[in-house]
Amino acid sequence: GGMAGALAREEAAKQQAAWAAVDAHVQNNHILGIGSGSTIVHAVNRLAARVKQENLSITCIPTSFQARQLILQNGLTLSDLDRHPELDVAIDGADEVDGDLNLIKGGGGCLTQEKIVAGYAKSLIIIADYRKKSKCLGEQWKKGIPIEVIPMAYRPVTRALTKRFGGVAELRMAVSKAGPVVTDNGNFLLDWKFDKVHKWNDVNMAIKMIPGVVETGLFINMAERVYFGMEDGSVSICEKPAH
């Protein structure tokens, strides 16, 4: 029981969701976007098993250094957007998912490449465990919305964010390295802890327009389907609401 039991349940939930998503959405000859984070490890393991068993031809496009390593370690075919500017499916995790399937991503710092890959895929499929499911953003995820910024602009961007939208924005500091986290793109990250519910589509566009902002961790109206691994071992599937 206790902590160990809870962690084991979370891992099992991630695995169930990852397997369900890979089995439902990956087909032969697919160009596949591979997300980042702990949940994706299970997806890539499942993908590698299916490629072997079914002799599939799959090409993988990574969203981070971590994803690239995972693809190579599993003996899968690695490629890039230069060769494949359009993808069939992107599979990724999320830090939080709301009732409209809006996402907060970037807890692992890979939001920009994740959004690029997701944006050029015909569909974005999200895998997550039960702790990531919320009615509204900010309900479960308390670390804020990650925003990637050009290093020279981090202070004015911080000020612009809080002045316009309230809350607090903090420069993300590194662990085992002095100073800030540096992304795979050589930039800094701000974590914006908002203090009220916003119209996320408007806020996302407004933040992107702030000079020095590279990308936000808000993925609005991008996910087609979310697979949640539940505490009881089942997988709950949520579809994008049809408007």
Side-chain angles (χ1 to χ4, degrees):
M3 271 301 284
L7 279 172
R9 272 198 303 279
E10 280 159 29
E11 280 310 306
K14 288 177 186 180
Q15 186 182 34
Q16 294 296 334
W19 283 46
V22 167
D23 288 356
H25 297 279
V26 176
Q27 293 165 26
N28 195 25
N29 299 318
H30 263 179
I31 312 297
L32 208 57
I34 302 294
S36 308
S38 57
T39 318
I40 294 305
V41 176
H42 297 291
V44 175
N45 288 342
R46 179 61 183 157
L47 181 62
R50 278 196 62 197
V51 165
K52 275 200 187 73
Q53 282 159 15
E54 302 167 45
N55 198 23
L56 301 178
S57 169
I58 301 287
T59 301
C60 298
I61 315 289
T63 54
S64 63
F65 182 86
Q66 180 228 3
R68 189 171 170 274
Q69 298 302 96
L70 262 180
I71 292 162
L72 292 173
Q73 282 159 7
N74 280 274
L76 294 162
T77 305
L78 176 74
S79 193
D80 53 43
L81 292 171
D82 291 346
R83 291 187 190 89
H84 300 282
E86 191 184 32
L87 293 77
D88 295 295
V89 187
I91 297 181
D92 210 339
D95 298 309
E96 190 170 39
V97 183
D98 77 5
D100 293 324
L101 301 199
N102 293 318
L103 319 169
I104 294 176
K105 291 176 53 46
C110 307
L111 56 152
T112 301
Q113 291 186 39
E114 286 170 352
K115 200 180 274 191
I116 290 167
V117 167
Y120 296 110
K122 288 174 196 154
S123 67
L124 171 62
I125 305 301
I126 297 294
I127 49 187
D129 65 77
Y130 50 89
R131 299 168 308 147
K132 311 294 172 61
K133 191 175 187 175
S134 291
K135 271 199 180 66
C136 302
L137 296 180
E139 206 177 282
Q140 302 282 348
W141 179 253
K142 302 297 184 192
K143 296 180 184 175
I145 295 167
I147 297 164
E148 185 159 338
V149 295
I150 298 291
M152 72 172 278
Y154 88 90
R155 284 208 56 196
V157 171
T158 300
R159 293 182 65 207
L161 266 174
T162 51
K163 213 159 105 184
R164 288 186 62 178
F165 307 111
V168 181
E170 294 165 353
L171 180 63
R172 192 183 298 183
M173 301 309 284
V175 180
S176 312
K177 164 198 175 281
V181 166
V182 178
T183 68
D184 286 357
N185 315 306
N187 297 319
F188 290 173
L189 291 169
L190 300 175
D191 289 300
W192 174 48
K193 299 185 173 83
F194 52 92
D195 53 10
K196 57 176 187 281
V197 175
H198 294 267
K199 280 193 176 152
W200 292 120
N201 192 44
D202 297 348
V203 167
N204 183 49
M205 290 204 283
I207 293 173
K208 282 218 67 165
M209 292 305 294
I210 297 172
V213 168
V214 176
E215 193 50 90
T216 82
L218 284 165
F219 284 55
I220 309 300
N221 202 19
M222 289 181 78
E224 189 128 315
R225 218 185 224 194
V226 181
Y227 287 76
F228 289 106
M230 302 312 282
E231 217 162 348
D232 63 5
S234 67
V235 175
S236 155
I237 301 172
C238 298
E239 302 274 347
K240 179 152 75 177
H243 289 304

